Amino acid sequence: MKKALVIFFGIFLITFGSMAQTQNQGDARVHVLGTYGLRWNNFGAGAGIEFFFADHFAIMPSYIRNFPIVGTSSNFNADLRYYVSEGPSQLYFMAGYAQSWENSQPDGAGVRRSYNGANVGVGAYIRLVDWVGLSTEFKFQSTSPQEVGFRVGFAFPL
């Protein structure tokens, strides 16, 4: 069932999504991404939606599910992005709020901890074709686990 929903959602984006690659007020992009933290070597996967509320300014809430060696971990980010360039390759600076949840015990036993903090970084959106682009980001997150990491994925303009 989950595969069917993902396939339907992908076809919907491809078929009905507008082909705009601009940064104008009211534009939006759906991001599907993966993460890698350099300090703890944790991988993660998640999604987010980027909404341009003013020209060159976007807000992007995203949720990431991390896959640590032991236990569980997840992360919510609400980032403010400022795009400094336009065209097929778009560079941006970002800063935002981060909320992390972790449980260091296997199989869900133990104490679930919650941390909040900030994150800052730089990223780029690179248009591949009209309906999809590559989304990359390099950022520092101050919440536990404090680390510098990469986010790479695909962005689909709506």
Side-chain angles (χ1 to χ4, degrees), residues 2 17 22 30 34 44 61 66-67 71-73 79-80 91 97 100-101 112 115-116 119 124 128 132-133 152 157:
K2 289 181 183 179
T22 63
V30 173
N66 297 312
F67 305 105
T72 61
S73 174
D79 300 328
L80 175 66
L91 176 70
Y97 171 79
S100 296
W101 298 273
R112 186 172 173 97
Y115 304 97
N116 58 6
N119 49 36
L128 299 175
V132 67
V152 177

Side-chain angles (χ1 to χ4, degrees), residues 12 41-42 45 49 58 65 67 78 101 107 115 136-137 139:
F12 176 79
N41 299 323
N42 286 339
I49 186 160
R65 172 82 169 145
F67 305 105
W101 298 273
D107 300 327
Y115 304 97
T136 61
E137 190 171 273
K139 72 176 183 177

Side-chain angles (χ1 to χ4, degrees), residues 32-46 60 62 64-66 75 77 79 81 92 94 119-124 134-141 145-154:
V32 178
L33 40 96
T35 64
Y36 179 73
L38 297 176
R39 181 175 178 192
W40 301 104
N41 299 323
N42 286 339
F43 289 97
M60 181 174 163
S62 62
I64 304 294
R65 172 82 169 145
N66 297 312
N75 187 285
N77 293 299
D79 300 328
R81 296 176 170 190
Y92 65 86
M94 56 81 60
N119 49 36
V120 294
V122 62
L134 181 66
S135 176
T136 61
E137 190 171 273
F138 180 74
K139 72 176 183 177
F140 170 74
Q141 182 171 309
Q146 292 181 343
E147 65 182 348
V148 174
F150 291 101
R151 291 172 79 163
V152 177
F154 295 104

Side-chain angles (χ1 to χ4, degrees), residues 70-73 102-113:
V70 177
T72 61
S73 174
E102 70 177 25
N103 186 342
S104 59
Q105 300 298 317
D107 300 327
V111 177
R112 186 172 173 97
R113 288 178 243 144

